[in-house]
Amino acid sequence: MNVSIIVISIIINTLLFLYNEKIASLLRLYDKPGGNRKIHKLNVPLTGGLIIFLNITVVMIFLLVDGSYLKKINIFDDKKDLIIFTLSFMLFFLIGFFDDKYEISANKKFLIMIIFLIPIIIFSEDLLIREIRLSFVDSKYVLPTPISIFWTVLCFLLFINATNMFDGINYQTGLFSIYISIFFLINNFFLILFILIIISLLNFLLLNHKNKSFLGDNGSVLLAFLFGYFFIKIYNQETDIYSDYIFLIMFVPGIDLMRLFITRILKGSHPFTADRNHLHHILLRKNNLITVNLIVQSLIIMPSLGGYYFGYTYLFLSFQFLVYFLLILSFRKV
């Protein structure tokens, strides 16, 4: 079955690669130049999310048809849980898709996500963060149900917004997403899905390299929802996955989100106002695109791998924090 899924995925990705421009034209889905943060000069198809969406849909169709395989992967408790997830990832793809087409205001998009996240979290199995476990603390912190619901929704929203804001230059979110997918593969978690996500991301990166495709909100929102969903699933199902491991992976997009929110509010701007003060934009002032990606990906990968394999996550987190702000202070003056 896995081989059949991979073959179908390769065929789909080949067709999407060949007909990328025609699909974007049919859907009228482009990122147009202009504004204070865009550096491209021509319309670029926002087809990255569609590539990932169709690959994930292939896996879901097979799982819905083959109930025996559903039991083997041991991710979803039953078919109802699988159906909820399938509808959920489609819904978040559509939120990003319509945002790309019609530019939904940040406040409306934020409210829509909250409205949909609450029932998804309540009715799904193993999707409530009921306790906080840290690798360097023996005890765990159990959360009451109302706080658990609030904390889970907040984590999703932070994850989605951080990933969305992280998607500002070529390669960055694609490479970051491949790294997260490899994390799940290393932990033997839903292998076929994350293999297909990597295949779709490689296809996207080929197009992205030629400025023929951007992820868009349809891609960044979809990926963030997926990774948030499965981070919580693996966290609840595996006792040796701790909160600080996940936090190390998400620290750089997360701290960039918090810094920008605070600075924008202090300046009297809306926290979701677009600008070119992200870490990657600041680094681009004196570095080329490849160098910026190497710096940012290294700042994520090296500490998170170190914390995962050697422990002492608080030391690696301190290292990330220090290097992040040294980079900001060094290059913002350029």
Side-chain angles (χ1 to χ4, degrees), residues 198-266:
I198 289 174
I199 291 172
S200 62
L201 286 168
L202 291 173
N203 182 21
F204 162 70
L205 285 171
L206 286 173
L207 291 165
N208 188 230
H209 174 67
K210 300 176 181 180
N211 269 342
K212 291 184 176 180
S213 180
F214 289 166
L215 269 180
D217 285 349
N218 68 88
S220 62
V221 171
L222 172 61
L223 284 169
F225 174 78
L226 286 171
F227 292 141
Y229 182 97
F230 288 115
F231 268 135
I232 295 173
K233 281 277 187 178
I234 195 173
Y235 178 77
N236 286 335
Q237 294 176 9
E238 300 285 341
T239 56
D240 57 347
I241 299 294
Y242 295 93
S243 302
D244 41 312
Y245 294 164
I246 300 170
F247 192 70
L248 271 169
I249 294 173
M250 283 304 300
F251 176 79
V252 173
I255 194 66
D256 213 38
L257 170 77
M258 297 307 297
R259 177 182 63 85
L260 289 168
F261 267 34
I262 292 169
T263 54
R264 288 168 184 172
I265 290 170
L266 290 175

Side-chain angles (χ1 to χ4, degrees), residues 52 73 82 88 119-120 122 163 260 270 284 300 308 323 333:
I52 299 158
I73 62 171
L82 174 63
S88 300
I120 289 169
I122 291 173
T163 305
L260 289 168
H270 193 285
L284 271 174
I300 295 169
Y308 182 73
V323 173
K333 298 175 182 178

Side-chain angles (χ1 to χ4, degrees), residues 102-273:
Y102 305 112
E103 296 186 2
I104 304 170
S105 72
N107 290 338
K108 286 182 181 178
K109 188 166 62 171
F110 195 74
L111 181 60
I112 290 168
M113 288 182 184
I114 292 174
I115 291 171
F116 287 124
L117 277 170
I118 291 173
I120 289 169
I121 289 166
I122 291 173
F123 293 109
S124 297
E125 299 294 332
D126 291 326
L127 205 60
L128 267 180
I129 305 173
R130 297 186 181 277
E131 60 185 36
I132 296 176
R133 302 190 308 272
L134 301 171
S135 63
F136 51 88
V137 176
D138 291 333
S139 58
K140 59 185 178 183
Y141 306 94
V142 179
L143 304 174
T145 299
I147 296 177
S148 178
I149 294 171
F150 170 79
W151 178 243
T152 307
V153 171
L154 180 63
C155 287
F156 264 112
L157 292 173
L158 289 173
F159 204 107
I160 290 169
N161 282 286
T163 305
N164 195 20
M165 292 175 68
F166 191 66
D167 181 35
I169 58 172
N170 284 7
Y171 316 128
Q172 185 164 263
T173 304
L175 293 172
F176 178 57
S177 298
I178 288 175
Y179 174 60
I180 294 178
S181 299
I182 292 171
F183 171 85
F184 285 104
L185 294 179
I186 289 171
N187 285 279
N188 198 33
F189 189 87
F190 210 167
L191 299 183
I192 187 60
L193 176 71
F194 288 103
I195 288 171
L196 258 64
I197 289 176
I198 289 174
I199 291 172
S200 62
L201 286 168
L202 291 173
N203 182 21
F204 162 70
L205 285 171
L206 286 173
L207 291 165
N208 188 230
H209 174 67
K210 300 176 181 180
N211 269 342
K212 291 184 176 180
S213 180
F214 289 166
L215 269 180
D217 285 349
N218 68 88
S220 62
V221 171
L222 172 61
L223 284 169
F225 174 78
L226 286 171
F227 292 141
Y229 182 97
F230 288 115
F231 268 135
I232 295 173
K233 281 277 187 178
I234 195 173
Y235 178 77
N236 286 335
Q237 294 176 9
E238 300 285 341
T239 56
D240 57 347
I241 299 294
Y242 295 93
S243 302
D244 41 312
Y245 294 164
I246 300 170
F247 192 70
L248 271 169
I249 294 173
M250 283 304 300
F251 176 79
V252 173
I255 194 66
D256 213 38
L257 170 77
M258 297 307 297
R259 177 182 63 85
L260 289 168
F261 267 34
I262 292 169
T263 54
R264 288 168 184 172
I265 290 170
L266 290 175
K267 291 178 180 178
S269 303
H270 193 285
F272 290 104
T273 302

Side-chain angles (χ1 to χ4, degrees), residues 23-36:
I23 293 169
S25 177
L26 179 67
L27 296 174
R28 296 180 181 176
L29 196 62
Y30 290 98
D31 187 21
K32 299 176 181 179
N36 63 347

